[in-house]
Amino acid sequence: MHVGAPVLSNNPSDDNAGGAMVGWMVGLSVMAVSLTATEAEPLPSPPPAPYCEGEYADSYAALSPKARAFEQATQKKYTYCVRSTAVYECLSYGAEGNVRRTRTPVSAHGTAFAYKQQAGETLLLTNEHVVEWPDVTSDAHPVDGVPSGCKRVKDGLSIVENEADHYDRDDVPLSKAVVDPQLDLAVIKSKAPLTVMPWKVGKSAAVRERDVVDVRGFPLGVFNATNMGKVISAYDRDEYKEWYHDDFVIDALLSQGNSGSPVLAISCKTGEFELVGVYHAGYSRGSALNVVVGIDQARDLMTNLRRTPKRPQEGTTPLDALARARVAKRAEVSATPFFPFGSRTAAVFPRADGTLLFALYEQDFPRRVHPLIVMEDLPVASTDEGFGKVGRVWFGGERGLLERPRAEQDAELQQQLARLLDAMRRDATLAFSYQDSLPGSDESRQTFDTSARLGKTLERTIVAHRDLSDTAAELADRFAPDATEPATRTESVLKNPPPPGIHLGLTGEPAGQTRQPAKSAQGKEARTPAGR
């Protein structure tokens, strides 16, 4: 069963005809009664249909003739088809071990509309996802036709006639002015003069259910089209991935390529259109459930070209001494000090001297329980110094763990390990906060909502750290002990790590043999986290 139904346009003539018939029948009965007492009196005319009970109309009959004439003028279109292009470079190895570089061009189409001219340029508004491409492709940031792990080396924006327009000489080049991932909005600019939308910016807070809306865009990038519909929900909170804003939902039949289209409502005061939002997404399992970014949140972006401050994540606390104490206490009293880290499981173990040991396990944990990496997080002398400082690190495999002293680590490896430990600190803090919120989450609406927001934040963090989790696995694969190197038992490290300089191995270190320096991270491609 489909949620929603085809949009039916209201026909004022039909409504008036129905109203006249009802009025005639009622009037006839009233006249029959009144004639028995007094002379017949003229009947009052029926009241007009309630097209406008709020700020915006619920029927196109409220549109003024002037506004209707302007929108029907084909030479005054203020919406444009935007082509966004990028080139990705992918590295691979040939049969002889030589590095191959292949470049893959990609393109996509969306909609933008001009709303202002200033300083000799035309400003247009569209979606962030129309103009932005991920820096590096990954499972969390895929690009159709491009393998994971490829780097963006070039991108571009332009106005074209449609997706089939391959004549470049008349394309209008565009550049980015400001991009806001939270709102999924972007202001782009053109040096060429463009037709600007004549309608004023309205108030999305005044939009109500059943208000009629008009959407102008380029579905599938094929042609300029007008879609009509109604507001079916005046509020929808959007926290998908990096989005963090308020939407309203409409039932207009929209498609890919409509992203960035202006959504207009009819003012009851003037009979003219007003901009109330920007279409940006739709529910994948709904045939006509399309969400619109409310325009009230975009005023600062459009006027001052300033993005909204980055939201603080729910449950995210500063990595300070207080956060460390909470993590240490949670790990000490819990029999399951585990938390998700990307596509893997991690854990934190406290030590009597105040040191925390962060361990990262393989994807098939707990079938195999040997950790890939164990990192020492040492306490700091002063609370002003933060959460802690990086200590020793062990890389693990099926044979056990092997410490790699910092003297053997190059600058790149040390930077990767510091970033890995910082991420595990934050994920442990967030995961433990979420786990602690679950038992009492149903005590009140506030605690329930807090727990739900923590859960959503944790889901986003898991996706964001998949690449970093994979990078840790690659490091373990390179630096884990091989058959010629002594290995330390996992229990020895987690329960009572040996003092620095002392090695407790399963096998003795052969006489006269010295450990080789850790393999440099250089020369082997390592995936790094990429955020859109």
Side-chain angles (χ1 to χ4, degrees), residues 168-208:
D168 299 337
R169 298 188 63 179
D170 61 351
D171 293 350
V172 179
L174 301 170
S175 59
K176 303 171 191 174
V178 59
V179 175
D180 193 327
Q182 290 187 183
L183 293 179
D184 190 26
L185 293 178
V187 175
I188 54 181
K189 55 187 179 180
S190 165
K191 294 186 178 299
L194 302 173
T195 301
V196 175
M197 178 184 68
W199 314 122
K200 64 180 290 188
V201 177
K203 296 180 292 185
S204 55
V207 170
R208 304 191 312 175

Side-chain angles (χ1 to χ4, degrees), residues 200-444:
K200 64 180 290 188
V201 177
K203 296 180 292 185
S204 55
V207 170
R208 304 191 312 175
E209 292 180 10
R210 298 182 180 84
D211 285 347
V212 69
V213 291
D214 194 275
V215 186
R216 308 297 175 93
F218 287 80
L220 305 178
V222 177
F223 47 74
N224 195 347
T226 299
N227 293 85
M228 297 174 289
K230 287 200 171 188
V231 176
I232 60 176
S233 177
Y235 180 78
D236 181 53
R237 187 65 173 171
D238 199 336
E239 298 183 12
Y240 179 73
K241 292 186 177 179
E242 296 183 3
W243 297 341
Y244 192 79
H245 58 260
D246 294 333
D247 289 332
F248 60 89
V249 188
I250 62 176
D251 64 0
L253 296 174
L254 304 176
S255 309
Q256 293 183 358
N258 272 117
S259 293
S261 299
V263 178
L264 308 171
I266 303 173
S267 171
C268 288
K269 295 179 181 179
T270 64
E272 296 182 350
F273 285 115
E274 290 186 2
L275 177 68
V276 293
V278 180
Y279 167 69
H280 84 117
Y283 284 94
S284 58
R285 290 182 292 176
S287 59
L289 294 176
N290 296 305
V291 290
V292 179
V293 182
I295 204 63
D296 293 349
Q297 306 155 100
R299 293 181 183 274
D300 202 27
L301 184 79
M302 298 170 66
T303 305
N304 302 317
L305 304 183
R306 185 171 56 197
R307 60 184 292 180
T308 56
K310 187 173 179 62
R311 74 183 188 276
Q313 288 187 338
E314 182 73 33
T316 300
T317 57
L319 289 181
D320 53 16
L322 183 60
R324 182 186 182 89
R326 285 198 295 264
V327 170
K329 183 65 176 177
R330 177 66 161 71
E332 181 180 353
V333 301
S334 174
T336 55
F338 301 102
F339 59 93
F341 186 75
S343 56
R344 293 171 172 80
T345 300
V348 55
F349 302 96
R351 213 165 64 194
D353 61 355
T355 299
L356 297 177
L357 293 168
F358 286 88
L360 181 65
Y361 296 90
E362 193 43 279
Q363 287 178 317
D364 59 356
F365 177 86
R367 188 171 69 86
R368 289 189 295 178
V369 296
H370 61 270
L372 297 172
I373 291 181
V374 176
M375 300 188 70
E376 238 179 12
D377 191 339
L378 303 175
V380 291
S382 171
T383 57
D384 298 333
E385 297 182 43
F387 192 95
K389 60 182 180 180
V390 181
R392 291 174 291 174
V393 58
W394 291 264
F395 295 93
E398 293 184 354
R399 297 188 64 253
L401 296 169
L402 178 62
E403 180 189 348
R404 296 294 186 183
R406 294 180 66 86
E408 299 178 0
Q409 302 171 10
D410 58 23
E412 182 182 354
L413 178 57
Q414 291 190 32
Q415 185 179 16
Q416 287 178 316
L417 293 175
R419 187 167 64 249
L420 175 63
L421 180 58
D422 186 74
M424 286 199 290
R425 290 166 174 167
R426 295 185 183 278
D427 285 16
T429 303
L430 174 60
F432 291 160
S433 296
Y434 172 64
Q435 294 167 10
D436 292 340
S437 73
L438 291 176
S441 61
D442 58 351
E443 292 181 356
S444 67

Side-chain angles (χ1 to χ4, degrees), residues 513-526:
Q513 177 175 316
T514 59
R515 276 187 282 175
Q516 297 297 319
K519 307 167 191 176
S520 172
Q522 299 175 357
K524 181 172 181 179
E525 187 70 9

Side-chain angles (χ1 to χ4, degrees), residues 440-451:
S441 61
D442 58 351
E443 292 181 356
S444 67
R445 168 64 66 176
Q446 182 178 2
T447 57
F448 180 84
D449 290 343
T450 299
S451 179

